[in-house]
Amino acid sequence: MKLILALLIATLLLSVQGGPDSSLANERLRLPEEKHLRNIKQLSFAGENAEAYFSADGKRLIFQSKRDGRQCDQIYSMNVDGTGVRMISNGDGRTTCSYFFPSGRRVLYSSTHLGGKECPPTPDFSQGYVWAVYSAFDIFTARPDGSDLRQLTKTPGYDAETTISRDGKLVFTSMRDGDLDIYTMDGSGRQVRRLTNELGYDGGPFWSYDGKQIVYRAYHPQTEKEKADYVGLLKQNLIRPTTLEIWVMKADGSNKRQITRNGKANFAPYFLPDGTGIIFASNMDDPKGRNFDLYKINIDGSGLERITFNETFDGFPMFSPDGKKLVFASNRNAKTRGDTNVFIADWVE
């Protein structure tokens, strides 16, 4: 009996880890409480893979990954079924925040490769949990095969966290004016406009489907102690991302309003296709702040609902252009503790 059970488990694991599609594999990846998700499929199977975003035709994904023995992330693309993986970035420096242009003929991402071929140093955690905002990050565009690399930003300081509207307008985070703020520009890097001005971090922006609104994450220090801590870290190109709230504004930067108010780390917001709500990642239900799950909330801050119930990380959600599928990154079903992989699921409203 034990042998039969062992063979059954082995067969199940094989089907989950890259074998033929099966309903058993899909159910193995979905938790019973996850009523909005069906037919979950794992698209990557080792290492650190995250920030997977759809092409405008819904046929491919672009994502960042630490694989092939590389010490820091590079940019890759793949078909939505996980096949056809290829590296887009040139393999130098650290890369992040990739996205397809609406035409599909070009992609963009941020990279530190002009600052050196080596990976930039990891942040000093003696000051607590901090993120590095590397000043060498600039925004680049390339063809989907990585050729014809062009630099879009050349200002001193961090330029990253870029996404593109359906009509080709870019929104991104930059430290060009001394603080971490959100800007827009056209697809050639011109017509730059600053949208946020309050002291603190404003970043991770995404457009609504109709291009009229932008959702983002923000930390605005309130007390003098918080302000001093923020400014002191920023001088070292660091931020402390333990408190981030979700905000929405119009595409011109007006009518800013705070959506979440839980004092936790809320990030990776993305509009629901109909524009009535937002899906995002948060650690709000973990007293220790270590586990992140996906949630959705109405655009007026009501109707909060938990989407995933995995005991480890779930984040970086994005809906397909037709709104029928959700792609996200997760630690579920990891071969090695800490592995983050890309998953895709049917969305059930």
Side-chain angles (χ1 to χ4, degrees), residues 47-87:
E48 298 176 21
N49 308 272
E51 295 198 54
Y53 302 128
F54 283 99
S55 58
D57 61 9
K59 294 180 178 180
R60 287 188 67 79
L61 295 165
I62 189 168
F63 64 106
Q64 65 190 54
S65 178
K66 189 185 296 183
R67 58 173 66 195
D68 303 328
R70 300 185 185 278
Q71 297 303 304
C72 55
D73 289 313
Q74 294 296 318
I75 303 302
Y76 294 78
S77 68
M78 62 180 166
N79 297 324
V80 293
D81 63 359
T83 63
V85 177
R86 63 188 181 199
M87 190 168 82

Side-chain angles (χ1 to χ4, degrees), residues 263-328:
K264 301 295 184 179
N266 308 279
F267 77 104
Y270 194 81
F271 278 101
L272 270 65
D274 63 5
T276 62
I278 297 159
I279 189 169
F280 64 101
S282 178
N283 62 354
M284 69 175 79
D285 282 321
D286 183 0
K288 295 182 179 180
R290 296 175 182 173
N291 179 40
F292 286 81
D293 277 291
L294 301 182
Y295 298 79
K296 75 181 183 80
I297 192 170
N298 295 330
I299 201 163
D300 62 0
S302 66
L304 179 67
E305 182 180 2
R306 186 170 174 176
I307 303 300
T308 63
F309 291 80
N310 175 35
E311 292 182 354
T312 54
F313 175 85
D314 290 304
F316 303 110
M318 181 190 186
F319 286 101
S320 59
D322 62 7
K324 293 181 179 180
K325 292 187 180 294
L326 184 77
V327 67
F328 62 102

Side-chain angles (χ1 to χ4, degrees), residues 84-231:
V85 177
R86 63 188 181 199
M87 190 168 82
I88 296 175
S89 54
N90 62 13
D92 295 337
R94 181 184 297 274
T95 64
T96 190
C97 305
S98 54
Y99 220 79
F100 283 101
F101 277 83
S103 67
R105 293 192 293 270
R106 295 194 71 81
V107 301
L108 67 72
Y109 60 91
S110 288
S111 175
T112 67
H113 72 269
L114 293 183
K117 291 188 175 183
E118 301 300 318
C119 295
T122 56
D124 177 11
F125 291 116
S126 66
Q127 302 180 80
Y129 181 63
V130 292
W131 281 351
V133 284
Y134 297 109
S135 60
F137 265 129
D138 274 303
I139 302 167
F140 298 83
T141 76
R143 293 178 179 145
D145 64 1
S147 64
D148 191 29
L149 186 65
R150 303 176 189 175
Q151 186 176 359
L152 283 189
T153 59
K154 298 181 181 180
T155 54
Y158 179 85
D159 289 298
E161 303 176 31
T162 314
T163 60
I164 310 175
S165 68
R166 292 191 167 194
D167 61 1
K169 193 171 185 179
L170 278 58
V171 63
F172 65 104
T173 303
S174 177
M175 210 166 80
R176 62 187 58 204
D177 292 315
D179 196 6
L180 285 162
D181 283 294
I182 294 175
Y183 298 74
T184 56
M185 63 181 174
D186 65 23
S188 60
R190 295 188 290 267
Q191 298 182 356
V192 177
R193 180 177 182 178
R194 185 175 178 177
L195 302 186
T196 60
N197 293 279
E198 190 170 359
L199 177 68
Y201 168 65
D202 297 285
F206 281 88
W207 298 92
S208 59
Y209 275 56
D210 60 10
K212 295 181 179 180
Q213 299 187 89
I214 294 169
V215 64
Y216 60 104
R217 62 195 181 202
Y219 168 64
H220 301 144
Q222 299 299 310
T223 68
E224 292 305 313
K225 182 179 179 181
E226 289 172 347
K227 292 176 182 178
D229 179 66
Y230 174 78
V231 171

